[in-house]
Amino acid sequence: KRIANKLASGVVKIIEKCYTTFINPIQFLQKCMTTLENNQMNGVNLMEGQKKVLISCDSTCDLSDELMQRYSISGNPLFVVMNGKTLRDGVDVYPDDIYAYYKNTGEIPKTTAANMDDFLAYFRPFVDAGYAVVHFTISSSMSATFNNARMAAAELEDVYVIDSKCLSTGSGLEVLKAAELAQAGMDARAIASEVSTMWERVDASFV
């Protein structure tokens, strides 16, 4: 009820300005509330004063829509530049579009990281709705995404940014582990601590 009241009293306006994710952010928050209610019915209860946890990742984790929905994971798109236009990965442009672009032009599209303001706009609706956020990024050795997300998180309360030190299904495994811990009732700070070194046990190979 508390989250619903906040949505009704102004968070909706903030969320509508946030271009975010792979699904409508208002619908996503409503889905999160339903998931939390189901978890409580199944014996997963938060400790008194513990915030609800939102697990989030960028679009490079390559998790399927089915997994994103099953674990209520929020996805934040990175950007692909084609024909002079900056497009959101998984929202404005998809793999088939990229393959077709390369076939037609012989050029590999460029990519660009979300900046600090992008991340503030992405994180803030969830924070204002009462969530603690654990967000995974592509490896900091490959992109400025982690550093930009980390700077944005420093401006907000209870946002934990994890450098996956990987990409694709490698980082996806880390995200799924965090989602399982969240469903088990672990708080955001503990989840961030638990998964922060998981990259040491994850290898991703591409052929």
Side-chain angles (χ1 to χ4, degrees):
K1 291 182 180 179
R2 182 171 62 86
I3 299 174
N5 288 337
K6 284 192 175 184
L7 286 171
S9 63
V11 175
V12 170
K13 294 180 180 178
I14 299 172
I15 295 173
E16 287 174 343
K17 295 178 181 178
C18 178
Y19 61 75
T20 73
T21 63
F22 305 114
I23 60 176
N24 181 284
I26 299 174
Q27 293 176 344
F28 186 85
L29 284 170
Q30 291 171 338
K31 186 177 187 300
C32 285
M33 288 188 284
T34 300
T35 299
L36 285 164
E37 290 173 357
N38 290 339
N39 284 345
Q40 290 176 344
M41 290 176 63
N42 292 325
V44 179
N45 294 303
L46 301 177
M47 295 179 63
E48 184 176 354
Q50 181 179 330
K51 288 186 176 180
K52 294 154 292 295
V53 178
L54 177 80
I55 303 301
S56 172
C57 61
D58 65 40
S59 55
T60 64
C61 73
D62 292 337
L63 290 176
S64 67
D65 290 341
E66 189 273 331
L67 285 173
M68 297 282 282
Q69 293 173 16
R70 183 196 305 175
Y71 290 98
S72 294
I73 297 168
S74 176
N76 184 41
L78 298 190
F79 299 102
V80 178
V81 180
M82 299 192 319
N83 291 321
K85 297 181 180 179
T86 300
L87 307 170
R88 292 168 294 172
D89 180 27
V91 177
D92 305 316
V93 63
Y94 297 89
D96 286 346
D97 301 318
I98 295 173
Y99 300 146
Y101 177 82
Y102 177 74
K103 182 178 180 180
N104 294 332
T105 67
E107 298 178 358
I108 298 175
K110 299 182 183 299
T111 60
T112 184
N115 61 37
M116 179 179 171
D117 288 338
D118 292 328
F119 277 112
L120 282 171
Y122 174 69
F123 291 141
R124 196 181 300 278
F126 301 118
V127 172
D128 288 344
Y131 285 85
V133 179
V134 180
H135 179 76
F136 290 79
T137 72
I138 186 175
S139 175
S140 59
S141 66
M142 301 177 183
S143 171
T145 301
F146 168 73
N147 193 51
N148 293 343
R150 180 185 59 80
M151 290 190 294
E155 300 291 320
L156 301 168
E157 184 179 359
D158 288 327
V159 177
Y160 304 88
V161 179
I162 307 298
D163 180 1
S164 74
K165 297 186 184 294
C166 201
L167 79 164
S168 191
T169 52
S171 55
L173 290 172
E174 300 176 36
V175 175
L176 291 177
K177 177 61 176 179
E180 290 173 350
L181 294 173
Q183 288 193 348
M186 186 177 287
D187 67 64
R189 183 185 296 273
I191 292 172
S193 177
E194 179 76 15
V195 301
S196 62
T197 59
M198 187 178 169
W199 63 270
E200 297 173 350
R201 305 186 298 278
V202 174
D203 288 313
S205 299
F206 299 89
V207 179

